[in-house]
Amino acid sequence: MAIRLFSAKRVGEDLAAGRISAADQSLYLTASFLIWIVPAYLFLFPAPRTLDAGFFWALWLLELAIVVVCCSVGIGYCLRNCRVDPARNFLVDFSCLNAPLSLSTLLVVWGAYYVVEAILHLAAVESTRLYDVVRIFASVAAVIVVFIRIGRHMNRVSLLRRRTGV
């Protein structure tokens, strides 16, 4: 079976029906890592622009703290939404859903960031701090939205499992 990177709904249906093999689970996990890592190394996720070291480090550390909290809370949220045998299903469901949901979320969030950046550039906004504040919102929003979407799909998978008895 081929993995589905563009349809979290179909991935959820495959999970609920038990149709995702261990090999495909490993492909989903690999895709999840690559979806987050490759854009970072290609500098598609921009770094802060400011040259003010104090502002740079304050912003960078604030973003780190927010992302750590969002990941901790987000994983708990997803676990609570995995209602059918979470000891067996949580990591598999999370790993498989993370790939398509991260891909679509990152495309939308960072696409929107670059549109806003272009608008700021056209408006001749020179403030690097404003660009950096917009960037931190995009970065944090991407993480929050991914966890919310994964949790909702995990809830859907649980409902499907209860209906089908898998």
Side-chain angles (χ1 to χ4, degrees):
M1 180 175 140
I3 65 172
R4 305 173 196 279
L5 290 180
F6 299 102
S7 179
K9 181 179 179 185
R10 303 253 334 256
V11 172
E13 292 165 358
D14 290 342
L15 285 166
R19 293 189 296 252
I20 298 181
S21 69
D24 287 341
Q25 292 170 26
S26 72
L27 290 175
Y28 277 110
L29 184 58
T30 300
S32 296
F33 282 113
L34 294 176
I35 287 165
W36 283 92
I37 293 170
V38 169
Y41 278 94
L42 294 177
F43 300 106
L44 298 176
F45 302 157
R49 291 182 177 188
T50 187
L51 298 176
D52 176 359
F55 184 74
F56 172 89
W57 286 109
L59 190 67
W60 199 254
L61 292 173
L62 175 64
E63 180 180 348
L64 172 63
I66 293 170
V67 167
V68 167
V69 168
C70 289
C71 287
S72 299
V73 171
I75 290 170
Y77 170 73
C78 292
L79 179 58
R80 284 188 303 279
N81 281 289
C82 184
R83 293 182 179 80
V84 176
D85 196 4
R88 188 180 96 202
N89 294 319
F90 174 72
L91 284 176
V92 171
D93 293 357
F94 186 91
S95 298
C96 293
L97 290 167
N98 189 31
L101 294 170
S102 291
L103 180 61
S104 59
T105 300
L106 291 175
L107 286 172
V108 170
V109 167
W110 289 108
Y113 167 83
Y114 283 110
V115 167
V116 169
E117 182 183 66
I119 291 168
L120 291 173
H121 182 70
L122 288 173
V125 174
E126 299 292 327
S127 171
T128 58
R129 287 183 176 199
L130 180 59
Y131 283 95
D132 289 346
V133 169
V134 171
R135 187 201 59 77
I136 192 174
F137 278 117
S139 179
V140 170
V143 172
I144 291 170
V145 170
V146 165
F147 280 112
I148 289 170
R149 293 181 70 204
I150 291 172
R152 288 181 179 170
H153 277 274
M154 290 181 94
N155 183 57
R156 183 176 166 274
V157 170
S158 292
L159 294 173
L160 289 171
R161 281 190 176 120
R162 283 186 179 150
R163 271 191 232 139
T164 61
V166 175

